[in-house]
Structure formats: structure tokens, C-alpha cells
Amino acid sequence: MKKIYLSPPEIRPEDYIAMQAVMDSGWIAPVGPELDGFEKALADRIGRSNACAVNSGTSALHLALLALGVEPGDTILCPSLTFAGCAFPILYCGATPVFIDSEKETWNMDPAHLEVAISESIDAGKVPKAVIVVHIYGQCAKMDLISAICKQYGIPLIEDVAEALGASFHGKPAGSFGDLAFFSFNGNKIITTSGGGMLLSDKAELVEKARYLAHQAREPALHYEHKVVGYNYRMSNVLAALGRSQLNDLDRRIRCREKHYQKYIETLGSLDGVSFMPIYDSGEPNYWLTCLTIDPKLARKNRDLIIKLCEEESIEIRPTWKPLHLQPVFKSAHYVGKDVAEDLYTNGLCLPSGSNLSDISRDRVITVLGDALN
Ligand SMILES: *Cc1c(COP(=O)(O)O)cnc(C)c1O
């Protein structure tokens, strides 16, 4: 039985052509026309004026924090229900994360808890240095409320768009809200460069600072002069060619993932104890992963048993992200909220959602899940 993966990379004939052309061009370096072209293409798509392509989403976030001047001892607010790559860079800077609970309508950072966390931090004598907002599983957070809160307190906002390229909120693209926004092109994301990321902003000075640090903090001197600590974070021109080619195909990919979501809901949505991640009416997701929660009392089976039954049928189903405030590495971090994120994790599942998942394979997932839940 062929294994069905959660979100494998999709490589199409035009990607091979783009890769052949870039290899022939001789630009086998972290500089070149494909890199410039990829940066411009993504910035144009999101409606931003400056971009810096790097080797991962995690390094893009690290650069975003450094560009904002984050220093040891600073406080950074971040949702708890997300991937650790969204919080590790806080520790790289020696700063302190405060994790925030989710709300139920989008599963993203709860604006009410965000406001409490900001007030608590200010009362303790520390205005947070930045807020990181994540658009989890391809659905935008409540950006109207979250942007307004950050503006009110004058706190810079960083958008983590790693999972949500192509999504929008009130018709505005994900990645067009924060002072800075970053993307990931890891192999499991909606488009891929095998590994890669990008930082976008309308503020040229922030992106220029990030570009300088990402390129080993090289001063413009032939002998390589360095005044501060630099990083080797740039993306290769070779991989940028793949990214550019993949970006051209983004809209079709979103439609494929949405089709899987619709089919899953249609066939499994009315089973006892099954609730799909709600779609908030102010946003349009990119349907990166179809997620659901299982009420073990009504479904009479828990999340882990369902995962095991699917694994026996060579289907990769994963739990939702384990909240960061429950992760051993962050055990001393402060957490603001209740148990929404924890419940979404305890009972949450992500279903195979790739843009190259065939209808036949998807229907096999539906059969196996339907049997497991009956
Ligand atoms: C994938 C991901 C990242 C990290 O991106 P990498 O390119 O893998 O470093 C950050 N945040 C979220 C929410 C992600 O899903």
C-alpha cells in the first residue's frame, strides 16, 4: 500500500525546467537574478515593498527580531498553539517568550488574552518589544483586533505566515498586516524551495538591516570588514528559481487543498464527536491542512487511537501542534490564557491535505477515518 503523507512537496514539470535553466545560468550562489526575481514576485503578490529571501522561516523570524532591536531580557508575545520554530528565535536573542492561548473561532492567538498579557507586562515594568502573530493551518488570526491592540500600545507586530501563504483577511493578503511578515518554504508548506524563507516589510530600513545580518554582516570592503556578529542565512539563487516557479502555481494549489477540505467536511463532518476547524467569516484560508477535533466521549475513540488505526493503513495523520507552554524546552515561560490551545491539541488531528493528493488516495483516507470513527 502506498503511504499517504500529510503534506508532501509537489514538484511539477515546469519546476524541472526552471531548475535546469538556473543551473545552466551559472548563478550557483546566494546571489543572482532568480533571488531578486523571487523576492520581487512574493513582495508584489503580498503588496509589500521590500523582501529578503533566506534559508528558512526560522532564520527569517530571527532576523525580524534582530531588525527590531530585540535584546537579552526583552519580552516577546507569541501564541502557544504553533510550531516551535516560531518561538526558538526569541531564545536565540536572549529574550523571554510569553505564550498566549487561542480563541475557538480561528484557533489563533486570542486578542483578549493578548491584551491581558500586554497589560501584565507593562505593569511589571516591561513594554513587550514585539508581538508575533501566527496564521495557524492557513487561516488568518483576527487581524483587525490584533493590529489595533498592537497599534494602541505602540508594539511592533511580526506576522508568521509560514502556513498561510495565499490566505487573506477582509480581502487583504496574509503578510500585509504586520510591521514585518515572514514566510516558510519548507518541504511541507504550500510551496517549497526544499528549505527556505522570506522576510517582507514596507520599512526598507528593517529589511536592509536583515539582509546585512543575513549576509555575514559584511561591510562594503574588499577585505571583508565586520563590525557586528553576522549570520549566513541567505537563500541560494538555485532554490529561488524553484520558489519562483512554485509561486506561479500557488492559486491552483490552494484550490486543490480546498477541494480536499470540502470533501472531508462533506463526508465526515456529521459524524458524532467530529468538529472541523471553523472557518471564520472575515477570512479566506489557503486550506494548508484540514484539521478537526474529536470529542472522545461522543466518538467513543480518542485522538491517539484514530492516529494508530490510520497508521496501520499507511496514512499519515498527525496531532495538532503541541502548545509551546507545555513543551519541556519552554517550561519556565509565562502563559496567559485558559485551556483552549490545550484542548485543541489533546483532541486535534491534521489530515492529509497535499495539493498532489489524488482523489483516490483522499477517498481512501475518508473510508479509513469513517470506519475508525464509526
Ligand atoms: C514551518 C513553520 C515555521 C518555520 O519555518 P521553517 O522554514 O521550517 O524554519 C514557523 N512557524 C510556523 C507556524 C510554521 O509552520
Side-chain angles (χ1 to χ4, degrees):
M1 219 172 343
K2 213 174 110 210
K3 175 135 186 170
I4 298 176
Y5 289 97
L6 194 72
S7 181
E10 178 174 14
I11 302 298
R12 290 167 63 85
E14 56 270 29
D15 298 325
Y16 286 91
I17 294 169
M19 293 306 278
Q20 176 82 49
V22 72
M23 297 300 277
D24 290 345
S25 78
W27 287 99
I28 317 295
V31 50
E34 290 299 326
L35 206 42
D36 299 342
F38 186 35
E39 287 176 344
K40 184 171 185 320
L42 190 71
D44 285 353
R45 165 109 196 188
I46 308 301
R48 295 238 123 162
S49 41
N50 302 277
C52 176
V54 291
N55 58 7
S56 76
T58 306
S59 40
L61 174 57
H62 187 195
L63 293 167
L65 295 171
L66 293 171
L68 290 172
V70 172
E71 289 179 346
D74 284 339
T75 297
I76 309 290
L77 310 184
C78 166
S80 187
L81 186 78
T82 183
F83 175 58
C86 167
F88 283 147
I90 301 171
L91 302 190
Y92 302 165
C93 296
T96 305
V98 171
F99 295 117
I100 297 171
D101 202 0
S102 299
E103 35 82 6
K104 290 178 180 162
E105 287 168 306
T106 72
W107 292 16
N108 284 303
M109 184 161 75
D110 186 324
H113 291 313
L114 171 64
E115 200 154 15
V116 170
I118 292 173
S119 302
E120 281 182 7
S121 188
I122 290 173
D123 288 348
K126 264 202 172 299
V127 180
K129 193 71 184 243
V131 170
I132 302 168
V133 64
V134 181
H135 308 306
I136 206 75
Y137 299 122
Q139 166 155 258
C140 286
K142 294 181 176 173
M143 291 313 295
D144 46 354
L145 302 177
I146 288 168
S147 300
I149 292 166
C150 290
K151 257 203 199 85
Q152 183 193 333
Y153 290 93
I155 303 170
L157 178 62
I158 301 171
E159 268 184 279
D160 176 342
V161 201
E163 302 179 1
L165 171 58
S168 62
F169 187 84
H170 283 163
K172 278 190 68 185
S176 67
F177 294 89
D179 295 276
L180 290 146
F182 73 95
F183 296 77
S184 165
F185 315 115
N186 196 26
N188 60 342
K189 302 294 173 10
I190 196 161
I191 68 167
T192 187
T193 57
S194 74
M198 204 177 310
L199 189 63
L200 298 187
S201 177
D202 290 329
K203 296 183 174 140
E205 69 281 8
L206 293 179
V207 175
E208 281 323 305
K209 186 170 173 196
R211 192 187 303 283
Y212 163 78
L213 292 172
H215 212 177
Q216 303 282 31
R218 276 192 205 172
E219 296 297 326
L222 270 183
H223 61 266
Y224 292 155
E225 181 91 355
H226 306 277
K227 294 179 183 159
V228 298
V229 175
Y231 301 85
N232 185 4
Y233 277 174
R234 288 288 278 161
M235 178 184 277
S236 161
N237 187 66
V238 176
L239 296 180
L242 178 57
R244 211 175 166 187
S245 171
Q246 295 248 314
L247 184 59
N248 282 332
D249 188 38
L250 175 61
D251 294 311
R252 187 197 60 83
R253 288 168 186 245
I254 295 172
R255 287 195 300 276
C256 291
R257 287 181 189 256
E258 179 178 9
K259 189 181 67 177
H260 296 318
Y261 162 83
Q262 299 292 2
K263 208 61 185 188
Y264 281 131
I265 264 219
E266 219 176 278
T267 50
L268 304 170
S270 55
L271 293 178
D272 283 345
V274 173
S275 313
F276 279 76
M277 180 172 96
I279 295 205
Y280 190 58
D281 56 11
S282 299
E284 183 58 39
N286 72 353
Y287 300 93
W288 177 55
L289 293 185
T290 294
C291 300
L292 50 81
T293 54
I294 308 275
D295 180 333
K297 282 198 252 8
L298 291 171
R300 298 185 309 278
K301 286 201 184 78
N302 70 19
R303 198 257 324 255
D304 295 335
L305 180 58
I306 309 260
I307 292 178
K308 192 170 156 283
L309 291 171
C310 289
E311 205 173 79
E312 286 165 10
E313 296 290 330
S314 292
I315 295 169
E316 184 188 26
I317 296 213
R318 293 233 186 149
T320 41
W321 297 123
K322 178 172 177 173
L324 298 180
H325 73 281
L326 302 176
Q327 293 282 7
V329 64
F330 293 116
K331 65 178 178 300
S332 56
H334 185 49
Y335 171 68
V336 177
K338 297 201 172 75
D339 48 13
V340 176
E342 190 169 349
D343 286 349
L344 291 173
Y345 164 63
T346 309
N347 298 317
L349 288 173
C350 308
L351 308 188
S353 305
S355 49
N356 51 359
L357 175 68
S358 70
D359 290 358
I360 291 172
S361 292
R362 183 207 52 226
D363 291 344
R364 187 156 80 76
V365 177
I366 290 171
T367 306
V368 171
L369 265 178
D371 287 350
L373 285 163
N374 252 323

